[in-house]
Amino acid sequence: YVTLKTGLGDFMLDVAYGHSDDGTNIGIYHGYSGEAQQFKLKLAYSDNVFYVLTRVSNDQSALDDCENSKADGANVIQWRYNGNSNQRFVFERIDG
């Protein structure tokens, strides 16, 4: 499992309240590395494209772009893993 820490300091992606239900919001929370902040990366179809599974769902759910939105400010939720494109994330190296 990995944690996904922001570049802004000791804050991590977090499954709200540690719930495992579909539709649970994903947010940023003070880093404590608990199960709500632990994720498993599942390779999709190329070296840098992954599904991000949540530990609180026993790896049955993934981060999901809610309603396949392309709008700025679109919500990210936890949803049952289905392999759809709105559950794929690309990890890109950045400087710094």
Side-chain angles (χ1 to χ4, degrees):
Y1 289 96
V2 299
T3 57
L4 298 171
K5 186 175 179 181
T6 73
L8 301 175
D10 194 22
F11 299 94
M12 298 178 181
L13 281 189
D14 184 281
V15 180
Y17 306 106
H19 291 176
S20 60
D21 305 326
D22 282 349
T24 300
N25 197 49
I26 304 298
I28 302 294
Y29 196 79
H30 182 75
Y32 66 94
S33 300
E35 286 191 8
Q37 296 182 345
Q38 295 177 17
F39 304 91
K40 182 180 283 185
L41 303 180
K42 178 178 179 175
L43 187 62
Y45 58 87
S46 72
D47 290 341
N48 64 339
V49 181
F50 293 90
Y51 301 104
V52 182
L53 307 176
T54 63
R55 185 166 190 174
V56 295
S57 72
N58 294 316
D59 305 334
Q60 299 301 304
S61 295
L63 299 188
D64 185 290
D65 173 5
C66 186
E67 300 178 0
N68 297 302
S69 178
K70 295 179 182 176
D72 287 343
N75 198 30
V76 175
I77 59 172
Q78 169 181 257
W79 198 265
R80 180 75 44 190
Y81 168 73
N82 56 36
N84 290 339
S85 61
N86 66 318
Q87 291 186 342
R88 294 182 200 139
F89 290 85
V90 176
F91 285 79
E92 298 175 339
R93 182 174 297 281
I94 59 170
D95 293 332

